[in-house]
Amino acid sequence: MGDSVLIIDRGEKLDHSVVMERRSAGEGGAAVFRSKLPWNSFSPLSKICVSYYPMIVGGASNAWGGNTRRLPPETFKRTDAPIAWPFSYQELLPWYEKAERRLNLTGDPAYAGSLLTNTTSGFEQWRYALRPYFDNVGLSGIAINTGASGKFGQGTCKGRSNCETCYEDAKARPDNIFPELPILPSTQCLEIVFDGERAKSAICYNGREVFEIEFERCIIAANGIESPAILLRSDLPQNVRSHSIGKYLQDHAHFEVQCMGAYELPYNSTSAFGHVYIDELAGEYSGIEVSCFALTHESALEPLGHTVPDISQIWQEGVTLSSFSRRMISFYFELEIPATNLIRVVLNDDGSPRLEDTEYLSFLPHYEEVRRKIIAKLEQRGLIVMSQQCHYKGGYGGHHFAGTLNMGTGPNAVCDESAKVIGTENLYVAGTSLIPRAGGEGPTLTAVALAERLGHHLTK
C-alpha cells in the first residue's frame, strides 16, 4: 500500500448558484447550506452559540471576505490559561509567509505586515482616510484573489459574495491543492480505528453504505467542532489525553459602533471588499484580546436617526444626506473568548456534536468593560458615537471554532509540537482545533500556516 495518507477535511461541495437562490428567496444562516445527505443535517450547537455549522468543503472562513491576519506576537507569549502556544511567533513566521503566498492575499503592501500576492487598488486612499483620528491604519490582507489566476487553481474573485461555496476565490480547497488525488466530498468520517497506539483506518459513511479506509498516516482537519467529535466517537488508545478533547473551545463575540467623523471617507473606492484595520483600537483590554476593523463601504443610516440627542443640530449645519452617510464610520470589534474558559464539545446520543457553553455568560461583564473603554477612546479622538450594537449580549459566534484539540507542551495539550495526537503513533491534527490561543483575530491564516508546518514535518 505504501505510505498512504488520509486527510479528513470537512464538508461536501455545494452548488454556489443554489445557495445564491436560497439567499435571494429570503433564507439565511445554516438553512442556505442544507443538504440532501442524511449525515449532513445539523442543528444549533447550543442556545448561546450563533455560529452555524455548515459542512462545506473548505469551511466558511471566507464568509467575511476572507479577513486573513497573523496573530500578534503577544498572543504567543500568554500563559494565563490552562493551554498556551508551545513556540513563539518567530518560529511560525516562515509558515505564515508561505500561507500568505498560497492564499494569494490582497491588500495594502505597506501596511498589511504580510506577503501579498496582489494589491488592492484604492488602498492609498484608505491609508490616510482615518489619519485625523488614528496614526496607523490600512487595508488588511484578505484571502480574495484579484490577480489574473489563482496560483493553485483557485480562480479570480468576481465579487459574487457567498464566498463559502464560490470557487472563484483564493481558498486553498482540497480539490485544487490535490487535483490528482481521490476526494470524497459526500462522505462522513464516523470514527478512527486503532491497533494499539497506531491509527489504522477510518470508518466512513456516504449516505448509502458504511465502509472502511485504511492508511499509514492520518490528518484530521475537520474544523474545531467535527475534529474533536470524530475522536470522541472513537475507541482511543489509553495514553491519549481524552480529558482535554473538545475542551477550551475559543470563538469570538462581537459588537459594532457607528461614529460620525468630520470628513467624508473614500467609500467604494477599492477593487475588492476590504477591511480597514485600526491598530490603536485593537489589543488587550482587561485580559480580553480584541481586533478592530472598519469596512470600505458605507453604513446603513436607518438605525441612527434617534440615537444622538443633538442630531438635529447636525442637520442644521447644512450637512446633506449623502455627506452624512459618507462621514459615518462603522467599527467592528471581535472579542476573544479566552482559553481560560471551560466551553467544550460533547456528543449527543446520536453521536452529533453540541456545545456545553453556559460559562460564556460569565464573560459578559468583561465585555461591557471592554466596550466602555473603547467608546472612551473613540470619543477622545473626536468621533461622535451614533449607535452601538452589543451582539455579545445575544450570544457569540464568528464561525472561528479553535482550541479543541490544542497543541502544546503542558498537561492539557491534546497534540504535541509536531501536531501529532499525544498517545498515538501516526495521527495528526490540522485546522483551527489545533490553535491553543486564538486571541482577537480570525484563525484562517494561522490554521493554514500550521498546516504548511505540518506538511513540512511529514515530508522530512
Side-chain angles (χ1 to χ4, degrees), residues 190 308 373 453:
L190 300 176
V308 177
K373 290 181 177 180
R453 181 176 180 270

Side-chain angles (χ1 to χ4, degrees), residues 3 31 37 57 66 82 87 113 127 142 144 147 178 208 229 232 294 296 344 354 367 442 455:
D3 189 13
L37 294 175
V57 170
F87 45 75
R127 188 182 294 173
I142 55 174
I144 293 179
F178 306 112
R208 300 181 303 276
L232 290 171
T296 55
R344 69 181 302 161
R354 61 181 172 85
Y367 294 154

Side-chain angles (χ1 to χ4, degrees), residues 1 36 38 61 152 164 183 299 317 336 367:
M1 183 168 57
K36 295 181 180 179
S61 57
F152 294 92
E164 303 96 324
I183 296 172
S299 303
E317 294 173 354
E336 73 164 335
Y367 294 154

Side-chain angles (χ1 to χ4, degrees), residues 6 48 110 127 154 217 285 311 325 350 384 386 395 445 457:
L6 175 66
I48 303 174
R127 188 182 294 173
Q154 295 97 319
R217 291 184 288 187
Y285 295 81
I311 195 167
S325 175
D350 64 357
I384 301 173
M386 304 292 282
L445 185 63
H457 170 76

Side-chain angles (χ1 to χ4, degrees), residues 8-245:
I8 303 174
D9 193 6
R10 176 174 175 267
E12 63 178 302
K13 186 173 182 178
L14 298 180
D15 189 315
H16 182 268
S17 62
V18 172
V19 173
M20 292 288 281
E21 289 173 4
R22 292 170 179 172
R23 287 205 189 277
S24 298
E27 299 183 47
V32 300
F33 302 110
R34 65 183 181 274
S35 167
K36 295 181 180 179
L37 294 175
W39 56 263
N40 200 9
S41 60
F42 40 84
S43 57
L45 292 167
S46 79
K47 293 181 179 179
I48 303 174
C49 178
V50 298
S51 287
Y52 50 80
Y53 186 52
M55 294 275 198
I56 304 167
V57 170
S61 57
N62 254 10
W64 265 77
N67 190 15
T68 309
R69 291 180 57 85
R70 303 173 186 175
L71 296 183
E74 292 74 21
T75 303
F76 290 81
K77 298 175 183 178
R78 297 189 67 173
T79 58
D80 58 341
I83 58 178
W85 280 95
F87 45 75
S88 69
Y89 171 87
Q90 288 299 322
E91 183 169 340
L92 195 59
L93 180 57
W95 307 111
Y96 268 141
E97 293 174 347
K98 190 168 184 178
E100 287 157 352
R101 288 190 293 268
R102 187 178 296 277
L103 291 173
N104 299 310
L105 292 198
T106 298
D108 179 346
Y111 171 78
S114 55
L115 295 178
L116 301 180
T117 303
N118 309 295
T119 298
T120 303
S121 64
F123 71 85
E124 300 95 337
Q125 296 184 61
W126 281 103
R127 188 182 294 173
Y128 302 105
L130 297 180
R131 286 290 174 86
Y133 319 105
F134 307 103
D135 294 331
N136 189 25
V137 297
L139 291 184
S140 175
I142 55 174
I144 293 179
N145 181 40
T146 59
S149 63
K151 183 177 179 181
F152 294 92
Q154 295 97 319
T156 302
C157 175
K158 293 180 171 59
R160 301 193 298 175
S161 76
N162 291 288
C163 307
E164 303 96 324
T165 55
C166 178
Y167 275 69
E168 299 296 331
D169 61 8
K171 272 190 178 297
R173 300 179 190 268
D175 47 358
N176 55 47
I177 297 299
F178 306 112
E180 74 283 2
L181 299 180
I183 296 172
L184 306 175
S186 299
T187 298
Q188 181 190 26
C189 176
L190 300 176
E191 63 178 298
I192 304 296
V193 178
F194 292 85
D195 181 6
E197 293 190 345
R198 186 169 188 81
K200 69 172 188 177
S201 64
I203 304 300
C204 302
Y205 177 55
N206 62 6
R208 300 181 303 276
E209 61 180 347
V210 176
F211 58 96
E212 190 171 6
I213 300 176
E214 296 184 345
F215 52 76
E216 293 297 315
R217 291 184 288 187
C218 179
I219 302 169
I220 301 180
N223 182 279
I225 300 293
E226 191 65 19
S227 290
I230 291 171
L231 292 188
L232 290 171
R233 292 193 294 259
S234 303
D235 186 9
L236 300 171
Q238 182 177 357
N239 291 327
V240 171
R241 293 175 175 174
S242 302
H243 66 280
S244 289
I245 292 175

